């Protein structure tokens, strides 16, 4: 087990790389640890010892597609792969306690036609066989290909692009408990018939049963039968609930598994329901499948206390037909859920009311939300002073935890029901690991919320911790504290958006609407973000203070990252530290002219770190010449990145990085010792937006293909790959050219060295330029939308696949879909497509564009455009070249369907 201590403001937060340590000794008074204290210890497989040829599989880079992988969904983004007889992974019991129960988070293959398989896997203790664990995969493996993206119900392997790889199996250890210091291993033997076993993590503990409390009535006294899957105990348990309510007694669930085969719920009001402990007492919903009846939660509870039992289900997907229903819907006052373990249900806790709390509970392998505190459950309209503390949530298919303040809901007849905005909800000391769908923690609307000392790790697709508003029918967020949390290896590429690990602002659910105001984000640690560390979209009066961002996959702190526009807003950004940047990345970027950010004391400004600034203090003017040796000041990681320091021109720049005297006309110094992966930044001031010719003075003994490119602040490639001709010598100079489009104003370029073997003396920018190579500037770029239905999100319009498509909400014109090119680019043509097999239809469209994502100019006015399969369902709009970043199509009518529809939205530079 390896522990890394990270300083977070005045406290220290432990991030466990090899295991999540449970029930640690009391910490010193000055130390507070983020995350839950649990009765079990988790050992990551990659921290164990593989044997027999077993291999460790790890996520080595941020995802380049929107789809999932086993490594992406694994805790630690890594697992051990057992694929042959004798392969194993082994650990040593370092808990100091005996181990009598084990949980294995694992993946075995699906059946060829779907529906899952069963197989065993053997447990060894101190090298001797102990028992076989029984595994199944019918509660994993759903597929997203063939227009099923983000659908958690398609079980057809032929559709491809699988997700939901891992399930969790739990078992008591047969025979003597595993002693402290003993070894234990999971091994594939000849009798273990699955083609492979992917082992993610094991939880180990030594649980003891809880005795029946006084003044309680056992469900068995009413006819409930334990451990008999053929018996439906629904009626018997409800009868006992009724008796407990009328007699003022506690309902007791003894040891054993009690099966519910009915589609009806268990209803209770004002009582305590208790079990012998979640390892001993289980309520198991086992409705016959396929199930035609929509299922509510197993329990509908009002003002109840529930504790010490396990809820499980036979649900095999998120669909009604596959048995998906929630575990507990709760409301009322001062309700309590304590030490409840939930698995395989649609949701864990869906709870409203006043003064309730979820604590000390475990939620694993949940199809949707883990803990959703809201103002709508069981037809209540308030959700105030609720809390969730010391819970462990792993492997959810939607938000692991959410504060969900709903403004209104609309019924099938268009009638709206309004709800009271939520207030004063608290999330503290929770551990959240590996949600395969949704965020780690989502704060959606309301006011006065307190989210502190939570540990969030390994999101597969989405934001780790987000503070904003949920969609058009959510409440505005008018105040929250987000402090002392640790967000590790989070963010994701859901809908090809490259989402940040921590996010503040509206649009976190794809709806860029509403007010997000007065969110304080302080003393958080964001480590190993898959993309940007911290991102802002539209929000006001945010305080981002004393946070630490380490080793982000892209940039550190970004206003208006891809897909999250911030045409307006304000924030105070002070005392934050960013370190471990990769080549070409920035500690801080503000991509919005309308977002007012006040910065002070941050590491990139000198508050504990160097300052990135233009060489000589003044940005280089464009049109004009930028000398290669005059890259920005600020040092490595901020102004430049080199693999070694080779320069000889220390008299010109004290860092001596890759500079030498040049023989080119005008003398001075050139940039040399080029190498793939190195980069240099230049702050410039562009007088006028438009197209420019870039002339590079270069020298190279031999020709170099794909030598370099110039990138903008958002990372967009402005020039494409630039080839350098052979000049015959390191000091024989020639000119290479490229064409690029630039917005006006001060900005930062990155000169990226893609392939070495050349020298550079200067970069000359001249207004105008040759016609560029025809390019679809929108290919693969982030998108946004007014709405979408089912799985037909806006990301489909830039994926290069004419068979996938965006479709808006029905009967709700106007609707729009938008592409963000990453920087202002010159375009003169837009191509719109529908799937080629669709029948003819006409859509009334308006094309508009914007430089800031807020103020749009009409490029092509409203007109009815015919899409016809005889012309490949393609419509082409041409117009005088205009330079814009955001391009939007607004649909006001469609003769083929009552919604906006587009398969491809292409923006061409000519």
């Amino acid at each position: 087990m390896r522990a890394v201590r990270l300083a977070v403001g005045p406290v220290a937060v432990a991030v466990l790389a090899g295991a999540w340590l449970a029930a640690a000794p009391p910490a010193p008074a000055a130390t507070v640890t983020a995350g839950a204290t649990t009765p079990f210890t988790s050992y990551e497989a990659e921290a164990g010892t593989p044997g027999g040829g077993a291999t460790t599989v790890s996520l080595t880079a941020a995802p380049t597609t929107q789809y999932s992988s086993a490594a992406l969904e694994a805790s630690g983004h890594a697992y051990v792969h057992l694929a042959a007889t004798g392969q194993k992974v082994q650990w040593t019991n370092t808990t100091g306690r005996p181990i009598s129960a084990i949980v294995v988070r694992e993946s075995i293959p699906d059946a060829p036609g779907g529906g899952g398989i069963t197989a065993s896997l053997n447990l060894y203790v101190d090298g001797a066989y102990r028992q076989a664990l029984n595994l199944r995969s019918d509660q994993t493996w759903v597929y997203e290909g063939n227009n099923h993206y983000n659908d958690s119900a398609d079980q057809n392997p032929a559709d491809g692009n699988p997700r939901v790889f891992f399930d969790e199996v739990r078992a008591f250890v047969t025979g003597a408990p595993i002693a402290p210091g003993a070894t234990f291993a999971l091994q594939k033997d000849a009798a273990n018939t699955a083609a492979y076993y992917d082992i993610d993590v094991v939880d180990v503990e030594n649980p003891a049963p809880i005795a029946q409390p006084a003044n309680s009535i056992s469900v068995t006294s009413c006819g409930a039968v334990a451990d008999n899957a053929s018996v439906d105990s629904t009626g018997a348990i409800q009868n006992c609930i009724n008796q407990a309510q009328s007699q003022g007694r506690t309902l007791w669930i003894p040891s054993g598994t009690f099966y519910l085969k009915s589609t009806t719920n268990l209803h209770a009001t004002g009582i305590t329901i208790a079990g012998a402990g979640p390892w001993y007492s289980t309520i198991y919903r086992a409705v016959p499948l396929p199930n035609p009846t929509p299922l509510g939660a197993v329990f509908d509870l009002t003002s109840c206390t529930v504790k010490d039992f396990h809820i499980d289900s036979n649900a095999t997907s998120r669909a009604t037909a596959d048995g998906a229903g929630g575990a507990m819907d709760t409301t009322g006052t001062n309700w309590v859920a304590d030490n409840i373990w939930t698995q395989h249900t649609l949701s864990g806790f869906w709870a409203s009311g006043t003064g309730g709390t979820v604590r000390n509970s475990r939620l694993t392998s949940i199809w949707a939300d883990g803990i959703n505190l809201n103002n709508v459950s069981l037809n209540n309209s308030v959700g105030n002073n609720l809390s969730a503390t010391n819970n462990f949530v792993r492997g959810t298919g939607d938000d692991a935890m959410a504060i969900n303040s709903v403004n209104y809901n609309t019924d099938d007849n268009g009638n709206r029901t309004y709800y009271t905005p939520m207030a004063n909800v608290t999330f503290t000391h929770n551990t959240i690991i590996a949600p395969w769908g949704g965020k780690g923690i989502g704060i959606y609307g309301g006011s006065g919320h307190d989210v502190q000392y939570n540990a969030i790790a390994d999101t597969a697709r989405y934001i780790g911790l987000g503070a904003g508003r949920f969609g058009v029918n959510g409440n505005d967020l008018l105040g929250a504290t987000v402090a002392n949390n640790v967000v590790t290896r989070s963010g994701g590429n859901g809908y090809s958006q490259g989402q940040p690990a921590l996010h503040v602002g509206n649009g976190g659910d794809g709806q860029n609407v509403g007010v997000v105001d007065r969110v304080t984000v302080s003393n958080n640690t964001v480590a190993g973000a898959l993309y940007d560390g911290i991102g802002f979209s539209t929000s006001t009066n945010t305080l981002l203070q004393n946070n630490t961002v380490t080793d982000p996959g892209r940039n550190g702190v970004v206003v208006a990252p891809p897909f999250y526009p911030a045409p307006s807003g304000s924030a105070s950004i002070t005392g934050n530290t960013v370190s471990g940047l990769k080549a070409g990345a920035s500690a801080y970027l503000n991509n919005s002219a309308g977002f007012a950010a006040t910065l002070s004391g941050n590491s990139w400004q000198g508050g504990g770190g160097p300052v990135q600034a233009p060489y000589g203090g003044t940005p280089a003017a464009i049109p004009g010449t930028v000398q290669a040796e005059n890259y920005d000041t600020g040092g490595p990681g901020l102004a430049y990145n080199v693999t070694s320091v080779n320069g000889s021109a220390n008299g010109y720049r004290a860092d001596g990085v890759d500079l030498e005297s040049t023989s080119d006309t005008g003398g001075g110094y050139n940039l040399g010792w080029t190498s793939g992966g190195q980069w240099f930044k230049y702050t410039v001031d562009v007088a006028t937006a438009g197209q420019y010719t870039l002339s590079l003075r270069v020298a190279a003994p031999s020709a170099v293909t794909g030598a370099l490119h110039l990138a903008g602040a958002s990372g967009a490639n402005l020039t494409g790959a630039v080839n350098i001709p052979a000049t015959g010598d390191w000091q024989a100079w020639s000119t290479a050219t490229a064409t690029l489009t630039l917005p006006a104003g001060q900005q930062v370029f990155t000169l990226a060295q893609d392939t070495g073997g050349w020298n550079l003396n200067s970069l000359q920018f001249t207004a105008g330029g040759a016609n560029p190579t025809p390019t679809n500037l929108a290919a693969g770029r982030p998108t946004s939308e007014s709405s979408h239905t089912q799985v037909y999100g806006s990301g489909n319009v830039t994926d290069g696949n004419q068979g996938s498509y965006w479709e808006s909400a029905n009967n709700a014109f106007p609707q729009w879909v938008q592409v963000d090119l990453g920087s202002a680019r010159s375009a003169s043509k837009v191509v719109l497509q529908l799937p080629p097999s669709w029948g003819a239809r006409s859509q009334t469209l308006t094309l508009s564009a914007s430089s800031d994502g807020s103020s749009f100019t009409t490029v092509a006015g409203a007109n009815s455009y015919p899409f016809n399969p005889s012309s490949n369902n393609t419509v082409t709009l041409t117009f005088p070249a205009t330079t814009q970043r955001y391009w939007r199509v607004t649909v006001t009518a469609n003769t083929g369907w009552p919604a906006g529809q587009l398969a491809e939205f292409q923006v061409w530079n000519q």
Side-chain angles (χ1 to χ4, degrees):
M1 184 175 66
R2 297 162 287 143
V4 180
R5 304 292 294 186
L6 299 176
V8 180
V11 299
V13 176
V15 178
L16 301 175
W20 292 90
L21 181 62
T31 300
V32 180
T33 302
T37 299
T38 67
F40 57 89
T41 298
S42 293
Y43 290 99
E44 291 289 338
E46 64 270 21
T49 302
T55 56
T56 298
V57 180
S58 301
L59 187 72
T60 58
T64 57
T65 76
Q66 62 183 347
Y67 295 103
S68 290
S69 68
L72 191 61
E73 292 187 6
S75 63
H77 287 327
Y79 60 90
V80 170
H81 184 66
L82 314 180
T85 299
Q87 292 186 352
K88 66 179 181 178
V89 57
Q90 179 173 292
W91 304 267
T92 300
N93 178 5
T94 59
T95 66
R97 302 182 298 275
I99 297 170
S100 61
I102 186 170
V103 175
V104 182
R105 189 169 195 250
E106 45 69 32
S107 175
I108 60 174
D110 196 2
I117 64 171
T118 60
S120 63
L121 179 63
N122 289 343
L123 172 67
Y124 283 73
V125 178
D126 284 334
Y129 170 80
R130 178 64 66 90
Q131 70 192 85
L133 305 177
N134 296 316
L135 281 54
R136 50 192 276 200
S137 61
D138 62 329
Q139 293 182 296
T140 54
W141 296 101
V142 297
Y143 300 88
E144 298 187 279
N146 197 22
N147 295 319
H148 288 281
Y149 186 70
N150 212 25
D151 177 357
S152 297
D154 178 27
Q155 297 172 299
N156 180 12
D159 287 333
N161 291 314
R163 72 189 301 202
V164 194
F165 296 90
F166 292 98
D167 196 6
E168 304 202 6
V169 60
R170 63 184 211 159
F172 284 105
V173 175
T174 300
I178 303 169
T183 63
F184 60 101
L186 297 172
Q187 179 169 308
K188 175 176 166 52
D189 291 330
N192 307 136
T193 55
Y196 64 81
Y197 298 79
D198 290 338
I199 310 302
D200 180 26
V201 61
V202 296
D203 304 334
V204 295
E205 58 186 300
N206 187 31
I210 300 170
Q212 181 174 352
N215 193 34
S216 62
I217 179 171
S218 173
V219 296
T220 57
S221 69
C222 299
V225 178
D227 303 324
N228 188 336
S230 65
V231 175
D232 179 12
S233 292
T234 306
I237 295 175
Q238 184 64 59
N239 186 29
C240 256
I241 290 174
N242 298 341
Q243 292 183 39
Q245 290 176 172
S246 64
Q247 299 170 21
R249 301 170 69 184
T250 293
L251 179 72
W252 168 246
I253 305 171
S255 293
T257 298
F258 297 87
Y259 292 89
L260 309 181
K261 304 174 75 66
S262 169
T263 58
T264 60
N265 311 62
L266 297 172
H267 301 267
T269 300
I271 63 170
T272 294
I273 303 175
W279 272 99
Y280 295 91
S281 301
T282 294
I283 299 294
Y284 192 98
R285 172 179 266 168
V287 297
L289 301 181
N291 167 52
T293 305
L295 296 173
V298 174
F299 287 93
D300 282 357
L301 304 170
T302 300
S303 303
C304 288
T305 293
V306 291
K307 60 182 181 178
D308 304 324
F309 61 93
H310 177 226
I311 301 176
D312 204 346
S313 167
N314 65 337
T316 57
S317 87
R318 191 168 172 166
T320 294
D322 295 325
M328 287 187 173
D329 285 0
T330 300
T331 193
T333 58
N334 301 319
W335 53 263
V336 175
D338 189 356
N339 194 27
I340 300 295
W341 187 354
T342 304
Q343 295 182 282
H344 305 120
T345 59
L346 180 63
S347 58
F349 298 97
W350 185 264
S352 63
T354 303
T357 186
V358 180
R359 64 192 183 212
N360 309 320
S361 292
R362 198 179 325 189
L363 299 103
T364 56
S365 297
I366 303 292
W367 283 107
D369 288 8
I371 300 173
N372 187 304
L373 302 186
N374 56 67
N375 56 348
V376 296
S377 179
L378 294 181
N379 299 313
N380 205 332
S381 63
V382 297
N384 298 331
N385 301 303
L386 305 175
S387 66
T389 185
N390 204 59
N391 300 291
F392 180 90
V393 188
R394 182 172 60 203
T396 57
D398 213 319
D399 295 341
M401 296 181 63
I403 300 170
N404 180 17
S405 186
V406 179
N407 181 18
Y408 66 86
N409 280 325
T410 306
D411 66 19
D412 293 339
N413 296 318
N415 301 309
R416 287 186 176 180
T417 301
Y418 286 88
Y419 306 91
T420 303
M422 295 176 70
N424 306 321
V425 177
T426 301
F427 283 177
T428 56
H429 290 288
N430 300 289
T431 292
I432 292 163
I433 303 175
W436 50 264
K439 300 180 180 67
I441 289 179
I443 307 168
Y444 303 117
S447 62
H449 306 318
D450 189 18
V451 177
Q452 295 202 55
Y453 295 108
N454 302 287
I456 302 164
D458 306 314
T459 57
R461 288 199 172 168
Y462 302 107
I463 292 162
L465 200 167
R469 165 179 152 162
F470 195 88
V472 295
N473 68 322
N475 286 122
D476 293 333
L477 178 60
L478 303 177
T481 297
V482 179
N484 303 302
N485 303 286
V486 177
V487 184
T488 308
R489 297 180 298 270
S490 294
N493 205 31
Y495 290 99
S496 300
Q497 294 168 6
Q499 301 187 11
L502 192 155
H503 172 258
V504 178
N506 65 25
D509 63 332
Q511 302 284 352
N512 300 314
V513 295
V515 174
V516 177
D517 186 48
R518 301 190 306 278
V519 178
T520 295
V521 182
S522 63
N523 296 304
N524 301 284
T525 296
V526 180
L530 294 184
Y531 299 95
D532 298 316
I534 299 174
F536 287 92
S537 57
T538 301
S539 50
T540 51
N541 301 308
T542 303
L543 174 61
L544 187 74
Q545 184 175 42
N546 300 333
N547 300 281
T548 300
V549 178
T550 61
D551 302 312
R554 196 158 59 190
N555 302 298
V557 178
V558 185
V559 176
F563 192 77
Y564 295 96
S568 62
S570 61
S572 175
I573 301 175
T574 179
N576 302 285
T577 300
V578 175
S579 62
L581 291 169
K582 293 180 170 58
S586 297
Y588 172 76
L589 291 173
N590 187 343
N591 295 323
S592 171
F595 191 102
T598 303
L599 282 71
S600 64
N602 300 290
S603 65
W604 59 92
Q605 297 178 289
V611 180
Q612 181 188 347
Y615 183 80
T618 303
I622 291 178
T625 299
V626 179
Q627 296 296 331
E629 63 269 31
N630 292 343
Y631 51 87
D632 284 358
T633 58
L638 288 177
Y640 63 83
N641 175 70
V642 294
T643 55
S644 60
V645 177
N646 302 305
S648 58
N650 291 348
Y652 184 72
R653 304 251 339 218
D655 54 38
V657 172
D658 291 357
L659 298 185
E660 63 181 342
S661 297
T662 184
S663 64
D664 196 14
T665 302
Y669 305 92
N670 68 258
L671 191 66
W673 290 280
T674 52
S675 178
Q678 297 189 154
W679 51 264
F680 291 81
K681 291 190 174 182
Y682 299 86
T683 300
V684 300
D685 192 356
V686 180
T688 305
Q691 194 173 80
Y692 288 82
T693 295
L694 171 62
S695 300
L696 301 129
R697 291 293 292 172
V698 294
S702 302
V704 182
T705 301
L708 62 93
H709 74 274
L710 209 63
S714 68
N717 188 333
L718 302 178
T719 60
V722 177
N723 301 326
I724 291 180
T727 66
D729 187 79
W730 293 108
Q731 290 296 324
W733 294 92
S734 184
T735 301
T737 61
T739 302
L740 70 166
T741 301
L742 301 176
Q746 184 172 315
Q747 52 207 275
V748 178
F749 293 146
T750 299
L751 175 74
Q753 299 179 5
D754 299 315
T755 306
W758 46 275
N759 289 344
L760 175 65
N761 187 32
S762 64
L763 306 87
Q764 183 180 35
F765 294 84
T766 305
N771 290 330
T773 301
T775 303
N776 175 18
L777 306 175
R781 297 303 304 170
T783 62
S784 55
E785 62 195 19
S786 56
S787 68
H788 72 268
T789 188
Q790 298 180 30
V791 299
Y792 307 117
S794 61
N796 290 329
V797 303
T798 60
D799 65 359
N801 177 9
Q802 195 178 346
S804 65
Y805 60 94
W806 162 75
E807 182 173 299
S808 74
N810 292 342
N811 301 303
F813 292 120
Q815 297 286 339
W816 56 264
V817 63
Q818 179 174 305
V819 178
D820 176 5
L821 303 185
S823 62
R825 308 292 297 274
S826 177
S828 58
K829 180 174 70 175
V830 162
V831 175
L832 307 174
Q833 294 180 319
L834 291 177
S837 61
W838 283 16
R841 69 201 64 204
S842 294
Q843 296 191 78
T844 302
L845 311 173
T846 300
L847 176 67
S848 56
S850 170
S851 61
D852 60 6
S854 177
S855 299
F856 281 80
T857 300
T858 299
V859 177
N863 204 346
S864 179
Y865 294 93
F867 292 82
N868 196 301
S870 64
S871 56
N872 196 35
N873 273 332
T874 298
V875 167
T876 300
L877 308 179
T878 58
F879 42 86
T882 181
T883 300
Q884 304 285 354
R885 173 173 174 174
Y886 300 93
W887 293 78
R888 177 181 290 186
V889 168
T890 301
V891 186
T892 54
N894 184 348
T895 63
W897 195 256
Q901 297 172 313
L902 282 180
E904 284 293 294
F905 184 171
Q906 302 172 358
V907 181
W908 290 84
N909 57 354
Q910 63 166 290

